[in-house]
Amino acid sequence: MVYRIHFTVQDLARTRVADGPMPLHELELAARAVQSSGQPARFGAWRDRTRAQLSAQARMALALMPAVGASPGFLSPAKAGALEDLLAQVRSTPAERIRQNLREIAPHRPSLPDWTRRLADDASLFAELCTGLGHLYACLLAPYWAQFGEHLAIDRTLRLQQLLTGGVEALLAQANPQWMRWDPPVLEIRMVGGGTRDLYLEGQGLLLVPSLFCDRAVVTRGRPAAVSYPAGQDPQRPLRLTDRAAAPCRASSPAVAALLGRTRAAVLTAIAEHQGCTTKELAARARLAPASASEHATALRAAGLTRSLRHRNSVHHSLTPLGSAILNGHHGV
């Protein structure tokens, strides 16, 4: 199948990259990945570890988010925000929207569980599904959320560089060339299965959503429509995730301080904890004067531990793989 997304001039002007993680949207992508058999080198160990931990309620939510195929939109809004707030929004979904979403996916999901027929009218059943959604997040994403933020910040830096050097055309052409092809004014998304579908953005633009668990390109209809893609990762490398995701961000490591000096280690740690921060933000978090923070950031960039990109009047700093390895290696990860 090819998804043909049609752009107008207004759509090109309003196309952008998501400015923050979207917990429930990423959860749907993780749910699809954990049920798939694709990319075993990358996802195999993570799948084996998480599948054994799923509760009965979590499996209810999983049943509505298949490896391939449509899922009801109310479960995974493409919105940034705190998980608790987003789950509260799901719990408050009107019964008519539940029915409508289930009707929309029914032609594409002939094997929906029988209990979905009662979902809109049985409050306790729907509450159990929402509880399962929280359980699923706790199992698939919560231990790794800090690492996801790091990957997202690095990907945003890359996309910003593409936008600055080649405009929206470079952004669309290079975001995910394996699955996306820019043929102006149409973005073609290669999908699993046969046939062709067309989506007209109608001036709303397109939201590009980098994802840690997406292994291809996934189109989400909405206003605006969204396309998720792998966040700048090598699909052949194993996904190295650990429930000690926050450990590398401690500034108190004596080994890192001995290697870099205490102040420079604190600056590197501040960048790791707040990927994409500006020099002003970095100075505040490291408790330094802006000029001093800029000097240390320049030294770290020269050493290849960080990268910096200027956007308008601000310089944004993020960790490089080498900088991450320095922090990770000195925390025994």
Side-chain angles (χ1 to χ4, degrees), residues 57-102:
Q57 292 96 331
R59 293 182 185 278
M60 283 181 65
L62 204 63
L64 291 182
M65 295 184 282
V68 176
S71 62
F74 68 83
L75 273 185
S76 53
K79 294 180 180 179
L83 175 69
E84 295 77 11
D85 295 337
L86 295 172
L87 286 175
Q89 292 179 28
V90 174
R91 292 189 188 97
S92 64
T93 304
E96 183 50 40
R97 188 184 174 201
I98 297 173
R99 294 189 192 95
Q100 178 184 351
N101 284 179
L102 290 174

Side-chain angles (χ1 to χ4, degrees), residues 151-194:
H151 287 288
L152 183 65
I154 293 170
D155 187 84
R156 280 180 54 79
T157 300
L158 174 62
R159 304 309 160 200
L160 177 60
Q161 187 176 40
Q162 291 171 347
L163 187 62
L164 290 174
T165 57
V168 176
E169 181 175 30
L171 183 65
L172 294 173
Q174 298 177 39
N176 188 11
Q178 181 181 358
W179 292 87
M180 297 162 54
R181 187 173 77 92
W182 175 238
D183 184 16
V186 175
L187 181 66
E188 296 182 348
I189 310 293
R190 184 164 63 90
M191 308 291 283
V192 177

